[in-house]
Amino acid sequence: QVQLVESGGGLVQAGGSLRLSCAASGRTFSSNAMGWFRQVTGKEREFVAAISGTGDIQYYAYSVDGRFTISRDNAENTVYLQMNSLKAEDTAVYYCASDLHYTSRPPTKASAYDYWGQGTQVTVSS
């Protein structure tokens, strides 16, 4: 089992920045691809960013590319999402996820991930 705990969400104004953290425990973190997804009530969960086990491969959704950066610190078993130039459209609950299948590239589909955190709310005011 893998336990994931997100933190760092909050309320910010448009144009501001926020950094989310996801602390992992229970299984070898360095071998797991990790992803960030977000969801608004009434809409399906959407891909935001993903990172390979070693951190050398990162993928981003078009809507956040150039504004968000995913990174990881395997020594601390933590993955981060740095969010800059935030827009009102970024408002959502953000979830981190862990993939226990050791693929060469981090998945971008939610169905590929095995464990999920509880989510952290990000609200951007315009």
Side-chain angles (χ1 to χ4, degrees):
Q1 295 289 317
V2 173
Q3 293 79 47
L4 305 173
V5 180
E6 302 98 331
S7 62
L11 174 64
V12 298
Q13 292 188 328
S17 298
L18 208 59
R19 189 175 84 155
L20 306 183
S21 299
C22 176
S25 63
R27 197 171 291 268
T28 303
F29 180 73
S30 61
S31 64
N32 296 350
M34 300 289 292
W36 284 98
F37 293 77
R38 64 189 183 187
Q39 186 169 28
V40 177
T41 301
K43 301 177 67 177
E44 65 181 8
R45 190 166 298 185
E46 69 172 346
F47 168 74
V48 176
I51 189 167
S52 62
T54 58
D56 58 322
I57 303 174
Q58 305 122 48
Y59 296 146
Y60 298 94
Y62 174 80
S63 59
V64 306
D65 198 8
R67 300 187 298 119
F68 291 10
T69 302
I70 188 170
S71 62
R72 64 192 298 159
D73 184 342
N74 287 346
E76 297 295 329
N77 294 319
T78 303
V79 63
Y80 303 95
L81 185 68
Q82 178 66 47
M83 305 185 294
N84 299 326
S85 302
L86 283 162
K87 306 175 180 179
E89 299 80 65
D90 296 317
T91 295
V93 176
Y94 283 70
Y95 299 88
C96 68
S98 175
D99 176 22
L100 297 186
H101 300 91
Y102 313 121
T103 56
S104 60
R105 294 187 288 182
T108 59
K109 293 183 177 181
S111 60
Y113 289 87
D114 303 289
Y115 297 98
W116 295 82
Q118 83 290 344
T120 185
Q121 176 71 48
V122 172
T123 302
V124 184
S125 61
S126 59

